[in-house]
Amino acid sequence: VMAGPTTTKGRFFGLLIGDGEESETFTKTCAVNSSVGLQMAKATSETITRDCADNDVVPWAIVDAVSKSASLSGEGVFDTASLAVLVPWFNGTVTKNVKLEIYATAADGSQGALFGTFAGAAQLTQFDVNAPDGERATASISLTFSGAVTWAAE
């Protein structure tokens, strides 16, 4: 019998933004309440090495890691209270510490225990609000991490 994967639901991801104080407090933002995406990339350089004994052999490429980067995007129904954090952050020049918490799905389908947390310092690089007439406004944000992104499993 094949064992199925352990899964979770999108609503069990939480984006928390630090306040920058010495004993930093993290607050979950409701601006990201329907979709979140974490993108991680690695830049590489490629070197072609020839077979010195036989130049007719098609060479293999050797790939070296050069750098890593990460970004985060999220969206949801617009939360006006989030403006107090997002607007000054976007207009400023400092990074903020952020955490992306991922919770397991309990057997009954509800939010279970904390599975793990991605964390790092980030710049708010994009903030969009879409407000069609007669509908609830939505918002989307993009963050670009500055430096390492860590993972801590619970």
Side-chain angles (χ1 to χ4, degrees):
V1 175
M2 183 178 112
T6 301
T7 65
T8 190
K9 297 178 181 177
R11 70 175 184 257
F12 299 150
F13 283 61
L15 177 62
L16 293 87
I17 302 171
D19 62 9
E21 298 298 322
E22 189 171 325
S23 61
E24 193 155 35
T25 301
F26 287 85
T27 303
K28 183 176 179 180
T29 178
C30 200
V32 177
N33 54 43
S34 67
S35 174
V36 66
L38 176 66
Q39 300 80 33
M40 300 178 97
K42 185 182 291 184
T44 59
S45 67
E46 185 176 286
T47 305
I48 304 299
T49 58
R50 291 258 170 225
D51 183 333
C52 294
D54 186 353
N55 283 331
D56 289 333
V57 172
V58 175
W60 283 97
I62 297 174
V63 177
D64 295 302
V66 175
S67 65
K68 294 183 279 185
S69 63
S71 60
L72 187 143
S73 59
E75 60 186 43
V77 176
F78 180 60
D79 172 43
T80 56
S82 297
L83 289 173
V85 172
L86 297 177
V87 171
W89 187 12
F90 182 80
N91 286 330
T93 59
V94 298
T95 59
K96 285 191 173 280
N97 292 323
V98 297
K99 295 180 178 181
L100 178 62
E101 294 181 335
I102 302 171
Y103 290 84
T105 303
D108 66 357
S110 66
Q111 180 175 306
L114 180 63
F115 179 71
T117 304
F118 286 101
Q123 285 279 351
L124 176 60
T125 54
Q126 186 171 344
F127 175 49
D128 299 320
V129 176
N130 185 22
D133 187 30
E135 297 178 26
R136 301 286 176 175
T138 59
S140 63
I141 64 170
S142 296
L143 309 179
T144 300
F145 286 92
S146 177
V149 175
T150 61
W151 166 253
E154 295 297 316

